[in-house]
Amino acid sequence: MSLELIISEAIKTAMRAKDRVALDSLRAVKSQILLLKTEALGAEVSEEQEIAILQRMIKQRKDSYEQFTAQGRSDLAEVEDAQMKVIEKFLPAQLSSEELEAEIKNIIAETGAESMKDLGKVMGVASKNLAGKSDGKSISEMAKKLLS
C-alpha cells in the first residue's frame, strides 16, 4: 500500500480521535505528496520520493523546534516536536549508531576509500543505500569519523 493511502487512513483515524496535532501533521504530508504528483504530471510517486518528503518535513520541524526553543517559545516548540513524532512513525526503522557504523564500514570497504579525500565517494553510495534509514547528518558524521 502506498504512503498516500496509509496517510489517508491515518487522517481518518485522527479525525475520529479528534487528534488535532496528528491531523495537521498528516494533512501536511498528504499535501506534499499531492504537490509532488502534480509536479510529475500525475505520475506515481516512488517510495524513495515518499521517504525524501518525510525526511524533509522532519528536518523542517526539527529546525523550527530548535529555533523556537532558542527563542524561549516552548509552546510553539512543543507543537513542532509533537508533529515531528507523528511524521516519524511513517519512516522506515532508523539505524542505531552501531548499525550505521557497520554499514558505513562496509561501504568504505566496497569503494576502497582510504582518507577524507574519498569522502565524496562514500557519501554518494551511503546516501543512496541508507536513504530513509538514517539522516544525512548522521551518515556524514560517521563517515568523517571512520575516514579520519
Side-chain angles (χ1 to χ4, degrees):
M1 186 160 34
S2 75
L3 180 64
E4 185 178 6
L5 294 174
I6 294 169
I7 295 292
S8 293
E9 289 302 314
I11 287 173
K12 291 175 189 174
T13 304
M15 288 172 126
R16 287 185 198 112
K18 295 183 176 29
D19 184 349
R20 192 82 203 145
V21 173
L23 191 57
D24 290 344
S25 305
L26 296 169
R27 282 182 173 158
V29 172
K30 186 166 183 180
S31 169
Q32 289 297 312
I33 292 171
L34 292 174
L35 184 65
L36 185 63
K37 278 178 118 175
T38 304
E39 290 172 356
L41 302 174
E44 282 300 311
V45 178
S46 71
E47 188 175 340
E48 292 82 25
Q49 290 173 313
E50 292 172 345
I51 290 171
I53 288 170
L54 294 174
Q55 287 178 322
R56 185 174 59 244
M57 293 183 78
I58 289 171
K59 185 179 183 314
Q60 289 170 344
R61 277 151 185 79
K62 199 176 286 186
D63 292 345
S64 296
Y65 174 80
E66 291 169 2
Q67 288 177 357
F68 290 142
T69 303
Q71 295 171 358
R73 296 292 313 262
S74 61
D75 55 329
L76 296 175
E78 289 172 11
V79 171
E80 294 296 327
D81 187 48
Q83 287 186 356
M84 193 169 35
K85 289 177 182 170
V86 169
I87 296 169
E88 283 175 343
K89 292 177 187 175
F90 297 94
L91 276 177
Q94 300 293 295
L95 294 175
S96 68
S97 182
E98 295 81 24
E99 292 169 327
L100 179 62
E101 184 174 354
E103 289 285 336
I104 293 181
K105 281 182 181 178
N106 289 339
I107 292 169
I108 289 172
E110 285 175 22
T111 59
E114 298 174 357
S115 67
M116 286 298 285
K117 291 179 185 176
D118 302 317
L119 180 65
K121 281 196 278 187
V122 173
M123 284 302 297
V125 174
S127 296
K128 185 176 180 184
N129 292 353
L130 303 176
K133 298 177 184 174
S134 186
D135 63 25
K137 185 177 179 184
S138 301
I139 294 170
S140 175
E141 288 172 357
M142 185 63 70
K144 287 176 184 175
K145 176 182 153 193
L146 294 173
L147 287 173
S148 58

